[in-house]
Amino acid sequence: MNKTQKQIKPLLNPRIDRNFKSIFTQDREESRIALKSFLSAMIGETITEVTVKENEPAIQFDGEKGISFDINCVLGDGTTAQVEMQGLDKDCDFGNRAEYYAARLVSSNRLRGEDWKDMPKSYQITVMNFMFDKKNEAPIHHYTLTDTNDGAKLPGIINVIFMELPKLPPINDKTDIEALPTAIKWGKFLQEVDNPKKKSIIDRIAKSEEGIMKAEVMLNALSDERWNWIIQGKIEGQERDIRSGLANAEERGIKIGEKRGLKRGMKANAIANAKNLLAMKLGTHEQISQAIGLPIEKIEELAKEIEE
């Protein structure tokens, strides 16, 4: 490497849901600015106030207990929003899933006044690192309740927004960054920020949007923590296992059976990985539970086995 050439710092992959959430939910001003910018871009309205709510435990992988990586928040006017990153197509019907989560958000809302007109809106926002609708080339879709005959819309209390990263338009050093919609800038940032070959383009995007610049600051800070890289490696390994298992199942025509076998194999692999981390004393029991996706009770049980 040329002595005058500056080495590019490796960055965590923001398309992994844990890293995605971490960018927006730290107790730092940079996180708050980034989240308001992202929500404003996706919803299409300027967001000036947002409060992040605590998540309830939820599964990360089918059949396993883990940590919920959704971002649940309330905006200044009472509007609720749930934001998530889906890095892997787990063969789910994401349309049905999104409608269910959006309806659940609405049902959890309370009227701001005594009239139905005071009902706050709810937004289910999903960033997908895969194609959801392969028949439609548009990368961003905002769904509301509409009449199937003439397209007439209800007030828009229920909102589902999808961003499909693979559909985003390509950009290069000649692209007019300032002319891009902010939502597209956010999409390209999430898609390319950890690619060293795209650094010059990402720098231009960050300079054009304060929220994205703050998100880059947060991702740099998170990337300085060795434990975050350990967790990312475990998650990437599990996702590769899922992809391989599904591909093999489809080839042999026994998809359902393979999924069950994959779950059992993944659990055995998770237990083996947890034992290795415990033996090497890498992290607390809570950190290992989060990294591997096993309940804290199971980690403590394994720790006792190792001690014996």
Side-chain angles (χ1 to χ4, degrees):
M1 183 179 71
N2 191 308
K3 292 183 179 180
T4 61
Q5 184 178 355
K6 185 178 180 181
Q7 186 175 6
I8 298 176
K9 172 183 174 180
L11 296 175
L12 293 166
N13 177 0
R15 296 169 303 284
I16 289 179
D17 45 5
R18 180 185 186 274
N19 298 338
F20 176 81
K21 179 180 179 180
S22 295
I23 290 172
F24 296 107
T25 58
Q26 303 301 306
D27 187 19
R28 290 178 51 169
E29 187 64 17
E30 292 91 342
S31 268
R32 290 186 280 271
I33 293 173
L35 181 57
K36 285 187 284 188
S37 171
F38 178 79
L39 288 171
S40 296
M42 297 303 293
I43 293 174
E45 300 177 7
T46 301
I47 306 302
T48 59
E49 183 181 348
V50 59
T51 302
V52 177
K53 298 170 61 179
E54 295 258 344
N55 289 45
E56 61 184 35
I59 60 171
Q60 179 180 351
F61 298 103
D62 291 343
E64 296 289 341
K65 290 184 179 179
I67 303 299
S68 173
F69 293 118
D70 299 336
I71 303 170
N72 297 316
C73 45
V74 180
L75 311 187
D77 62 354
T79 296
T80 55
Q82 179 168 290
V83 185
E84 64 173 350
M85 168 65 73
Q86 285 290 341
L88 178 66
D89 184 355
K90 302 174 187 174
D91 200 33
C92 298
D93 192 324
F94 282 98
N96 289 353
R97 178 180 178 276
E99 282 192 300
Y100 169 76
Y101 281 140
R104 190 172 67 173
L105 275 177
V106 171
S107 67
S108 67
N109 282 345
R110 294 183 178 180
L111 287 173
R112 293 192 298 268
E114 298 180 353
D115 197 299
W116 283 111
K117 65 178 172 47
D118 297 317
M119 188 71 182
K121 294 182 178 180
S122 291
Y123 292 86
Q124 171 65 33
I125 304 171
T126 304
V127 180
M128 300 173 168
N129 195 33
F130 56 89
M131 291 189 185
F132 166 70
D133 183 356
K134 296 180 180 179
K135 297 179 180 179
N136 194 313
E137 296 180 356
I140 301 175
H141 287 279
H142 186 157
Y143 303 96
T144 57
L145 295 178
T146 62
D147 187 284
T148 57
N149 294 316
D150 59 15
K153 295 183 178 181
L154 287 176
I157 298 300
I158 299 178
N159 295 267
V160 174
I161 301 175
F162 288 162
M163 175 189 282
E164 300 169 65
L165 296 182
K167 293 182 180 179
L168 291 171
I171 60 175
N172 53 47
D173 291 327
K174 296 182 180 180
T175 301
D176 184 358
I177 299 297
E178 294 293 341
L180 293 175
T182 305
I184 298 297
K185 293 180 187 180
W186 266 109
K188 296 306 293 185
F189 170 80
L190 294 169
Q191 187 182 45
E192 305 284 11
V193 66
D194 56 325
N195 182 353
K197 296 180 180 180
K198 300 292 184 177
K199 188 176 188 317
S200 63
I201 296 175
I202 294 301
D203 285 346
R204 291 172 59 206
I205 290 176
K207 288 178 182 178
S208 73
E209 174 60 42
E210 182 188 15
I212 297 177
M213 183 181 295
K214 300 302 184 184
E216 188 174 28
V217 170
M218 289 308 310
L219 186 60
N220 271 275
L222 292 166
S223 299
D224 287 335
E225 298 292 333
R226 177 171 174 263
W227 182 250
N228 289 332
W229 287 98
I230 293 175
I231 294 175
Q232 174 170 298
K234 297 302 179 184
I235 293 174
E236 288 177 333
Q238 289 175 316
E239 290 186 351
R240 281 194 293 271
D241 287 344
I242 291 175
R243 289 190 180 97
S244 298
L246 292 178
N248 291 336
E250 289 175 357
E251 289 175 4
R252 291 193 295 268
I254 52 172
K255 192 171 184 180
I256 295 177
E258 280 300 297
K259 282 184 179 179
R260 291 174 180 169
L262 178 61
K263 291 175 188 176
R264 290 193 293 270
M266 284 184 62
K267 185 169 184 178
N269 184 56
I271 290 174
N273 287 334
K275 286 183 176 179
N276 288 335
L277 291 177
L278 288 167
M280 293 186 289
K281 301 185 184 302
L282 285 177
T284 64
H285 291 181
E286 290 78 9
Q287 289 174 325
I288 293 173
S289 172
Q290 183 179 16
I292 301 301
L294 290 174
I296 185 64
E297 295 81 8
K298 184 63 177 179
I299 299 299
E300 292 172 349
E301 178 186 325
L302 294 174
K304 290 181 181 178
E305 291 181 12
I306 292 175
E307 290 175 1
E308 295 173 356

